[in-house]
Amino acid sequence: MVKFSKQFEGQLVPEWKQAFVDYCLLKKDLKRVEHALLLGRHATAERCEAGLTAGGAQPTADRHAERAPLAQWLCHQLPAGLFGSSAAKDHGAIHVHRRPMAGPASRGGGGDEYETELLEPLAAADAAAARDFFAQLDAQLNKVNQFYRGKEKEFLDRGQSLRRQMDILAGLKAAAREDSNPSLSSGGCSEDESTRYAMTSAADTDQLNEPETTPTKDPSGTDQEDQQQELEGSRTFRKPVPQPKSLGRSASGCGRKSLKISIPLTNPSRTIAALTDVLWDELAAQSGSKKCSNPDGSAGKQGVSKTKLRHAEKMIRGAFVELYKGLGYLATYRNLNMMAFVKILKKFEKISGKQVLSVYLKVVESSYFNSSDEALKLMDEVEDIFVRHFAGDNRRKAMKYLKPAQRKESHAVPFVTGLATGCFAALFVGYCAMAHMAGLYLYTATPRGRGGDGGGGGDSARFMETAYPVLSMFALLFLHLLLYGCNMVAWRRCRVNYGFIFESSPAAGGELRPRDVFLACAASMAAVAGVMFAHLALVLRGYHASPHVQAIPGFLLLAFLLLLFCPLNVVYRSSRFRFLRILRNIVLSPLYKVVMVDFFMADQLCSQVPMLRSMEYLACYYISGSYRTQDHGFCINTKHIRDLAYAVSFLPYYWRAMQCARRWFDEGDTSHLVNLGKYVSAMLAAGAKVAYEKDESLASLTLLVAVSSTATVYQLYWDFVKDWGLLQPNSKNPWLRTDLVLKRKYIYYFSMGLNLVLRLAWLQTVVHPNFGSLDSRVTSFFLAALEVIRRGHWNFYRLENEHLNNAGKFRAVNTVPLPFHEEDED
């Protein structure tokens, strides 16, 4: 049977962990109470035994106790009520005082504080331990109530904003339907439904945007005061806040207020549409056209495009999903804390024998976090609204978005994974044995790129020019994927909510499990090893000159690309398409809004430069038809293709720098510009490396060492301080941070040292290591694999730091921007 502490730890909301009842701390206090009781009982027994030895004659009650069991004798000798007599059970061993909290009143009639008083007499040590326990219990109850009250108010305000957004959306849809049917539309300056709504909404609310960006109202005020505050606050509504840049077009009527639709500029099409709207509005303003001012009494009314309405509806739907998720977390918070209080009070009763459960449990049940039902009502309301407006009254369809069902675990997945792993191991061992007997992957006198055909090494060199890029590319790719699967396992065990950080949607099937990642790695590498084993067997049989044999690695690459772009719902289609969307966002990074998963993936590409260069070489080799003539030198010595290969080395750093620039433009945080400088230094280091490879002079070597050293120091600082959040000067953990997910501190020190060593891999360009008779390309492959391992090791601490940042702000759900807000007409 699973212990409650493990069950409690596994079911709590990771980002709200600090706000939950600290069950482990209460258990420690309970251990001290138990220890104090045992010491008190032993001391009483020793005193009684010493008194019996010195006194000689015993009273009648002591003579009976001498023959009675020790437990009964202790019950007679110790103070009455210590183990809970009937009178104590009637009156209770404790009394809980309740008094209002200091500070402003909050929703629900103001906050309350609880303080427990012990009523039954105890020994000094026992009473002190019990008082400490109940003081800690009261502190936990007060903490839970305060957090629940704050989160409930936040979600209720968000729900109120979404109700208003839905009303506006319904009004604009009705107006759009009237515009599409001219016979239903009315001319003149009469108010249509959209205009009428825009005017009434200005008198009803000033919080059409997120409640976080507008001042909240005091719920204890009257309706007249609320309306007065709203009318006054509407003049200062457009307060500049650090939000993503967005442009919108106003849909205004004849009143003093205009309704603005603000769609975030997350892609190029929205940016172009927003700029077009701005230009249109500027032209309309310059022409002097005004609504409701025509001589014939007709009004020029701006309509709202259906595309914008669809975008707005999608944003509101996403906001409802996030609100429902947050309310579900709040219900989990409520239930788990209630269970924790019941469990710990039962343990106290079992240890001390005092009747405290019924007394304290009444207080807990009547406290705010357990008695308030506003969040539950809002949850039901959100569910009804979503079913009615976004699912066409189809409850099952709505629940796919609101409560995505977890996929069932299948025993076939680990079985197939193990089978594919065994096949890969057998094929790989056979491939290595055949390559060793044939003398492949050994050092050749003619290195790659020297000579017209690259065939100075004979059949071995020709095979290396074809097989090595394929094997190295797939090996680095699936090594990276394997390490990502290991990261997922570690994140799950450490309760790091990587699904929330990456914004993966279980409803769309976009969240892979670790076993799915391991299955993809094992099956793919088994297929690669099988195809390359067959290719090597044909080459050793003398078919190396056949174009069909040379095309086998190309067909393997083509098969994987076709599978990646396959539109059929097979082989994790949702995950494949999400991966392609992320790659599109990276390649066009200045034009797309950057989210966590985008720059995380771009960082992975920065560690896969050798894989990208191998992919570029293979594309050139097979597209140019060099595999027919086995002219390997064409894709190496041709100037414009060689320049393209160098450009490929710069691309990941360029994409990442453009992402930093876009984030600075959206958020206005100068730290993104400092991060951009890190990737600029990496590009300069890559350029110095290219210059040194072309001209191995002392000046080039000095430039390479200077630029690469500066870039390494820059990158190490950013890794440790910014990405991992370590090296904090005021931390209680020396050279680390205050909050640590891993319990063993030495792991962090070891990881910092390992990251430092692996960051110095660029020294191989200067040292030129030679490991026996291995080909230099094999050595380069091992160094590239070390960089992939460093990146996989870096990933764990990067997401750990991001999770701790979310937990520090108690951010467990995304805040979706709302599309509609009002502004004063000029």
Side-chain angles (χ1 to χ4, degrees), residues 620 631-645:
C620 172
D631 183 11
H632 306 102
F634 175 77
C635 294
I636 300 173
N637 300 323
T638 305
K639 184 180 184 305
H640 64 276
I641 298 179
R642 187 170 63 248
D643 294 339
L644 177 62

Side-chain angles (χ1 to χ4, degrees), residues 582-702:
I582 293 171
L583 289 181
R584 177 205 62 191
N585 296 347
I586 292 174
V587 173
L588 304 175
S589 54
L591 304 178
Y592 282 89
K593 184 178 182 296
V594 182
V595 295
M596 174 69 186
V597 69
D598 293 334
F599 63 78
F600 183 83
M601 181 62 69
D603 281 329
Q604 313 306 306
L605 292 179
C606 291
S607 297
Q608 288 286 7
V609 172
M611 184 200 72
L612 296 177
R613 294 195 64 172
S614 297
M615 187 180 298
E616 177 271 333
Y617 171 77
L618 287 173
C620 172
Y621 183 69
Y622 286 103
I623 292 176
S624 65
S626 299
Y627 72 97
R628 293 191 180 95
T629 59
Q630 299 185 20
D631 183 11
H632 306 102
F634 175 77
C635 294
I636 300 173
N637 300 323
T638 305
K639 184 180 184 305
H640 64 276
I641 298 179
R642 187 170 63 248
D643 294 339
L644 177 62
Y646 291 143
V648 169
S649 303
F650 286 89
L651 275 179
Y653 304 108
Y654 168 78
W655 290 332
R656 192 64 185 88
M658 291 298 100
Q659 286 181 336
C660 294
R662 175 60 190 261
R663 293 189 71 190
W664 169 77
F665 177 77
D666 288 340
E667 303 173 15
D669 189 355
T670 55
S671 64
H672 297 309
L673 294 180
V674 183
N675 195 16
L676 184 148
K678 181 185 71 171
Y679 295 101
V680 171
S681 68
M683 286 190 283
L684 293 177
K689 179 180 177 181
V690 171
Y692 177 71
E693 290 176 351
K694 290 182 178 180
D695 178 21
E696 297 184 358
S697 62
L698 181 60
S700 299
L701 177 61
T702 304

Side-chain angles (χ1 to χ4, degrees), residues 3 33 109 257 279 332 392 519 588 617:
K3 292 184 177 181
V33 173
K257 299 291 181 181
L279 293 176
T332 301
L519 174 61
L588 304 175
Y617 171 77

Side-chain angles (χ1 to χ4, degrees), residues 428-478:
F428 183 72
V429 170
Y431 181 87
C432 292
M434 292 175 61
H436 179 71
M437 289 186 295
L440 304 176
Y441 295 99
L442 299 179
Y443 178 78
T444 56
T446 304
R448 178 180 174 181
R450 307 294 177 88
D453 58 355
D459 296 340
S460 174
R462 285 194 294 269
F463 179 81
M464 286 294 295
E465 297 295 343
T466 306
Y468 166 75
V470 176
L471 277 178
S472 64
M473 181 184 65
F474 283 113
L476 292 175
L477 174 63
F478 292 112

